Amino acid sequence: MEQYEPDRLSPAQVAAMRRSLRNGRAALSRRSLLRASAGGALAVGGAGTLSACGIPAAGKTEGEVSSDDHSAKEKTVSFSNWTEYMDVDESEKHHPTLDAFTERTGIKVKYTEDINDNVEFFGKIKPQLAAGQDTGRDLICVTDWLAARLIRLGWVQKLDPANLPNAYANLSSQFRSPDWDPGRSYSYVWQGISTVIAYNKKALDGVEVKTVSDLLDNPKLKGRVGFLSEMRDSIGMTLLDMGKDPGDFTADDYDAAIARIQKAVDKGQIRRFTGNDYTSDLSSGDFAACIAWAGDVVQLKADSPDIDFVIPDSGYMTSTDNLMVPNKARHKTNAERLIDYYYEPKAAAELAAYINYVCPVDGVKEELAKIDEGAANNPLIIPDKAMAAKSRAFRSLSSKEETEFETKFAKLTGA
């Protein structure tokens, strides 16, 4: 088990955090950005929030710390999630799937959109977790790398398979056994996040783009290519293009990928590294092609016939946001029932129809077709077997690797 020490972020890790807060997922939810709805900056905890927080080193942290489960007597569950990551009705005041869960089970869901960024959220919950205290949350949704760290620290509870029959049966095979949680003992996928190549047909003007090599090397695209400011996405796609597995690569492989992208930067091939803001560049044609998140592409394609995507033969990157029960949660069983509910095809379809991310639930296509046939046939939402087979995940990194790799990536991007 990983030993807990107060976080002292390296300059590279701080730079990565700021990139995420400025341009990445924390800047605006992707759906919010594309709908041009709620704007403005999200609250930023800053580097101070992420430092020691006054907590002494805890040595080896006691793992899987449960508390008395009050689920039977207290029909409630507290669920923390990302902004705009849940279906809403036309009034934007109610969440139909959550309401249906409550109506069926009698369990009231205290649903809070208080996750803007993984690092910032970790800063919120780590004081209580390090002290062995209840966070006030029964269910949280965090991205795979943070989920891995919470498991290593022993700060989340092992899930009871008896309460998760739908989840166990219906989890898509491509998500079943990540290296950080083999067999999904501590987590289940909320949604998948795929990284693909997107392009603007009009801006390409007949130029063919099928691979990351096309982005990096074709002189006809010079100055009109975008890469993501998220290290795992840009490096992962480049590793795949080089014939390397992002789930099993060496430090030398990483350095080779950095050098490959650096060459394109030096010759002016890459216009810039972006977060969510690549969507405007792609729509306007400033980017002829770019590395992109599939959830954005679904929305952009709906708005413009010029926008399309390609899955390279070499494969594509997929990360996940994951549901977990923190230590000392008061309502573990209720949380497990809520997880299992979203692995019922009907509930999963209603969620997928609204948020347009990769649905992790097998058997959802038929139900989704009743709501939105286009979404049901969209491989960016419901990957077919051929596409799922090309999916790759970035391997877990040690703390030392995280610092070294982010330092090199920050230098590459000029962050």
Side-chain angles (χ1 to χ4, degrees), residues 13 52 127 141 226 239 267 289 309 360 406:
Q13 288 172 315
C141 182
L239 284 168
K267 66 182 180 182
F309 73 97
E406 285 289 4

Side-chain angles (χ1 to χ4, degrees), residues 249-412:
F249 65 90
T250 66
D252 287 343
D253 294 333
Y254 183 89
D255 289 346
I258 287 283
R260 180 96 170 83
I261 302 172
Q262 184 67 62
K263 182 179 178 182
V265 170
D266 292 344
K267 66 182 180 182
Q269 186 78 3
I270 296 175
R271 184 181 182 93
R272 65 191 186 103
F273 292 85
T274 71
N276 293 109
D277 48 334
Y278 72 82
T279 56
S280 58
D281 287 319
L282 187 62
S283 296
S284 69
D286 288 340
F287 282 168
C290 62
I291 304 296
W293 288 305
D296 293 340
V297 178
V298 172
Q299 297 295 320
L300 291 171
K301 276 174 60 67
D303 294 335
S304 172
D306 290 328
I307 305 301
D308 214 333
F309 73 97
V310 64
I311 302 295
D313 288 340
S314 59
Y316 67 100
M317 297 302 299
T318 299
S319 57
T320 55
D321 285 329
N322 308 274
L323 300 173
M324 310 184 88
V325 178
N327 284 352
K328 291 292 185 177
R330 285 178 61 88
H331 310 105
K332 179 174 181 282
T333 298
N334 290 346
E336 290 166 338
R337 292 184 68 183
L338 184 58
I339 294 172
D340 199 58
Y341 166 73
Y342 278 104
Y343 274 81
E344 296 178 12
K346 186 176 185 298
E350 291 178 21
L351 180 66
Y354 184 80
I355 64 177
N356 296 156
Y357 282 79
V358 180
C359 181
V361 181
D362 279 344
V364 76
K365 186 172 183 177
E366 184 177 334
E367 289 292 337
L368 184 55
K370 297 175 184 178
I371 304 170
D372 185 339
E373 189 170 350
N377 292 317
N378 191 329
L380 297 182
I381 300 174
I382 310 293
D384 56 26
K385 289 184 179 179
M387 182 170 172
K390 294 182 178 181
S391 172
R392 296 292 183 271
F394 206 89
R395 71 168 173 83
S396 299
L397 301 179
S398 67
S399 296
K400 181 181 178 182
E401 286 178 322
E402 183 82 33
T403 298
E404 292 177 353
F405 290 177
E406 285 289 4
T407 298
K408 292 173 181 178
F409 190 70
K411 183 178 179 181
L412 171 70

